[in-house]
Amino acid sequence: MTEKGVTAVEVVRSSVLCTWLAPLWHWLRERYEYSLLAKILRGIALGWRRAYHGSAVVGVLSREGVLTRAWPESVLCRVLTFLISIPTILLQKLYAVGQDVFEHSVFARIAFAVVEQTPLAVAWIMVLFLALPFERWNNAYSFAGFALCFVMAWFAGMRKPGFRLDLKFVGPWLVAFAGMTFAAWPLSAYPSLSFRFLLYYITCMLCVVILVSTVESREQLERLLCFTSLSLLIMSLYGIYQRIQGVEVNLSYVDVNVNGDMPGRVMGFFDNPNTFGEVLLLLIPVAVAYLLCTKSWLGRLLGLLSVGTGCMAMAMTYSRASWVGLALAAVVFVILWNSKLIPLGIVVALVGLALLPDTVFHRILTIFNTSDTSTSSRFPLYRAAAAFLQQRPVLGAGLGSDAVRQSISDLNLFHGKDHFVHCHNIYLQVWCETGLVGLISFVGGILWTAKQGAKAVFHKQCDLVVRMAVIGGVSALLGGLLCGMADYLWNYPRVMLIFWFVCALALAGIRLAGQESRAGEAEETAPAQQPEEYYSE
């Protein structure tokens, strides 16, 4: 070692870090190792692992249902896949006829380079859509953007023999829900009111099919996680900027008699603090997933900033349903990521509660306070929806909140102080719009996605980026389902699109995990290469 190197080592050894902090750290670690707290936490972790691995939940998750096994090879799946892939099939035939012309054309090569980056186009579209202020937003933007990406997806398979838009990994339940949304328009009590909502649902369907079909590598999936984190950072910073500038208390969002000390609630780029909270709930788990899977320092910095600012903005929304949903998302995330950390997570959560600002902690305590008008005002909505479902349980009112609102108004079922906008519950709203079959297929589709996601992340062949994308998407969806018990997440079509975008991320990860699993099994079962002498004999 050179003299310079020895000097550097000596400097480090004699530094404050080594002479004071390092011995203190070793002393604390030794005391903790044999402490009562460490024994209790290890006992809880061991008990949890034993209960978890031997539980009925794991048994249900590990079984393949009859419908799941039959779906990929079913006639319905094949017919629907063929129908939505007809343009791609025709383009493939055209390419086979004029392959030399296409390959020697500069314009064609540029076009192929563009359309084969469809997931990147979706990523940029989501950044632009999420960063647009509410007053500049138009739902036609999302429909036009994803219609363009869908056309790109058709052309992306032009020179890929056998490429088809994928419905196998979308799953039978979500395909059934898509079918019920199409049926709910002509069966609506007010078809003219339902039509524009059909366009919103079609936009979400396009988003799911595009991502599931065109994400073909871990790099593309990681890029989507990166752009989602960037979107979260932009909107969170704007929410924090709103708090710094000051937000006026809106009496329609805050009961000042119960929350007298609470400041104005930030809205970000959205028109409602609850809506902003729902968006943050859906995107924060995805950003955490990106933080844990990216290998670049710039990516880790982006992930850390987006998660940190996102949590700060979430607190400033004072959206209780979103807080509860994010708490469930965190629990699901830890279970799927590393269940051994659950005891530590409980301790961190308790410490975090103790460190919360007084206004946030007081807001949490009002969740079950029925004297809070924002809570009590929901009960007339629930009663009106229940009364309507008694009269039309199978078909519902038709697609969209407008049809439900008009039906309840015509039947004079709402008797609250304010006017009926929606059911303030995603399950009641979906039931009222698409009927009982629509509700069952929707809940079944999200739970099916969660089940397939859990199976994928526990497989030994699952890549880190794929695993974290699935974990982030699944935990966000389940958190959204819990939040949806007190809020209708799809009241704003932009939030509906974000919900299905997160679902598409999870499904795309599940598809890649399945491909990795089959490739690994093929390698394990492949016969060993025989020496040349064997063949010569």
Side-chain angles (χ1 to χ4, degrees):
M1 183 178 294
T2 64
E3 183 179 354
K4 184 178 180 180
V6 173
T7 303
V9 171
E10 292 299 329
V11 169
V12 172
R13 287 178 177 175
S14 61
S15 65
V16 175
L17 179 65
C18 286
T19 57
W20 293 97
L21 297 182
L24 177 61
W25 166 250
H26 288 301
W27 183 83
L28 290 173
R29 191 176 64 177
E30 289 176 0
R31 295 299 182 274
Y32 171 78
E33 189 69 24
Y34 301 102
S35 67
L36 178 62
L37 176 61
K39 293 179 181 179
I40 292 174
L41 292 178
R42 282 195 291 266
I44 294 174
L46 179 61
W48 167 261
R49 287 198 301 271
R50 289 175 177 174
Y52 177 75
H53 289 294
S55 65
V57 175
V58 176
V60 172
L61 290 176
S62 62
R63 287 199 304 268
E64 282 281 13
V66 175
L67 187 59
T68 302
R69 293 196 303 269
W71 169 248
E73 302 300 327
S74 66
V75 175
L76 180 60
C77 180
R78 292 183 175 184
V79 170
L80 292 177
T81 300
F82 172 77
L83 291 176
I84 65 173
S85 301
I86 288 177
T88 298
I89 296 172
L90 296 177
L91 289 170
Q92 288 170 348
K93 293 182 180 299
L94 177 63
Y95 179 80
V97 173
Q99 181 174 354
D100 292 338
V101 176
F102 285 112
E103 290 302 325
H104 289 87
S105 168
V106 175
F107 175 78
R109 290 202 299 270
I110 294 175
F112 284 133
V114 172
V115 298
E116 290 174 2
Q117 292 297 325
T118 301
L120 180 60
V122 172
W124 275 112
I125 285 174
M126 292 304 298
V127 171
L128 294 174
F129 288 175
L130 290 172
L132 275 177
F134 176 80
E135 58 272 12
R136 296 181 179 274
W137 173 254
N138 190 313
N139 293 311
Y141 297 160
S142 56
F143 178 78
F146 280 97
L148 175 61
C149 288
F150 197 64
V151 174
M152 290 176 62
W154 279 335
F155 279 90
M158 185 173 179
R159 56 178 182 176
K160 299 177 183 177
F163 174 87
R164 299 291 184 272
L165 296 177
D166 199 332
L167 290 181
K168 293 186 294 184
F169 283 91
V170 174
W173 294 96
L174 292 182
V175 172
F177 178 65
M180 289 308 302
T181 58
F182 277 111
W185 170 47
L187 296 176
S188 172
Y190 307 93
S192 60
L193 296 179
S194 296
F195 178 71
R196 68 185 180 96
F197 290 90
L198 178 62
L199 297 180
Y200 303 155
Y201 277 95
I202 290 176
T203 302
C204 299
M205 296 175 201
L206 294 178
C207 175
V208 172
V209 174
I210 290 167
L211 289 185
V212 173
S213 303
T214 61
V215 174
E216 299 178 332
S217 67
R218 63 181 298 279
E219 290 77 17
Q220 291 177 328
L221 192 59
E222 184 175 359
R223 193 177 295 123
L224 284 167
L225 297 179
C226 174
F227 277 70
T228 304
S229 301
L230 177 62
S231 303
L232 174 61
L233 178 61
I234 294 172
M235 68 172 64
S236 300
L237 288 174
Y238 184 71
I240 295 172
Y241 171 76
Q242 281 185 328
R243 165 61 64 239
I244 295 173
Q245 291 293 105
V247 181
E248 184 179 352
V249 176
N250 190 328
L251 297 181
S252 62
Y253 298 140
V254 179
D255 186 341
V256 294
N257 295 322
V258 180
N259 306 274
D261 58 344
M262 195 176 81
R265 302 170 62 186
V266 301
M267 305 178 190
F269 294 123
F270 301 87
D271 188 46
N272 187 303
N274 289 330
T275 302
F276 189 29
E278 292 159 5
V279 173
L280 295 172
L281 159 63
L282 293 170
L283 297 187
I284 287 175
V286 177
V288 175
Y290 177 65
L291 172 64
L292 295 175
C293 73
T294 183
K295 295 181 180 180
S296 70
W297 285 107
L298 186 60
R300 290 173 183 171
L301 178 62
L302 172 61
L304 185 62
L305 290 175
S306 61
V307 172
T309 56
C311 290
M312 291 173 61
M314 173 66 93
M316 296 172 185
T317 64
Y318 290 91
S319 177
R320 296 167 296 183
S322 297
W323 289 349
V324 174
L326 185 61
L328 176 64
V331 172
V332 174
F333 195 105
V334 173
I335 290 175
L336 295 178
W337 178 41
N338 189 347
S339 60
K340 297 178 182 179
L341 297 178
I342 289 179
L344 178 61
I346 295 173
V347 174
V348 171
L350 294 175
V351 173
L353 283 175
L355 297 177
L356 285 175
D358 292 340
T359 55
V360 174
F361 189 76
H362 182 73
R363 179 69 170 171
I364 294 174
L365 296 178
T366 64
I367 290 178
F368 300 104
N369 187 350
T370 56
S371 63
D372 189 325
T373 55
S374 63
T375 301
S376 59
S377 63
R378 285 167 165 78
F379 296 119
L381 301 173
Y382 298 157
R383 286 193 289 268
F388 172 76
L389 291 173
Q390 289 179 355
Q391 301 186 30
R392 198 177 169 93
V394 178
L395 296 179
L399 206 61
S401 55
D402 288 354
V404 176
R405 181 166 56 250
Q406 190 63 49
S407 296
I408 288 179
S409 175
D410 291 346
L411 296 172
N412 194 27
L413 299 176
F414 179 69
H415 305 292
K417 294 182 180 180
D418 297 322
H419 58 284
F420 186 97
V421 178
H422 53 77
C423 297
H424 249 297
N425 180 293
I426 194 169
Y427 306 98
L428 288 175
Q429 187 71 29
V430 170
W431 191 353
C432 287
E433 291 186 19
T434 61
L436 184 59
V437 178
L439 173 65
I440 294 173
S441 58
F442 162 65
V443 176
I446 301 302
L447 294 181
W448 182 88
T449 302
K451 176 180 177 179
Q452 298 302 313
K455 290 175 59 179
V457 300
F458 288 126
H459 199 280
K460 62 181 180 180
Q461 300 288 347
C462 192
D463 176 81
L464 177 61
V465 172
V466 174
R467 183 169 183 263
M468 298 314 302
V470 174
I471 292 175
V474 167
S475 58
L477 291 175
L478 294 181
L481 286 188
L482 181 60
C483 174
M485 296 183 68
D487 272 323
Y488 177 47
L489 278 69
W490 301 347
N491 182 39
Y492 289 83
R494 187 153 48 153
V495 185
M496 179 195 294
L497 177 60
I498 296 169
F499 180 93
W500 289 110
F501 170 76
V502 172
C503 182
L505 281 179
L507 291 170
I510 292 169
R511 179 172 177 262
L512 288 181
Q515 293 175 350
E516 293 172 353
S517 174
R518 289 191 297 273
E521 292 173 357
E523 291 180 0
E524 292 176 358
T525 58
Q529 182 72 30
Q530 299 292 340
E532 294 182 2
E533 291 81 0
Y534 175 84
Y535 296 101
S536 62
E537 293 177 0

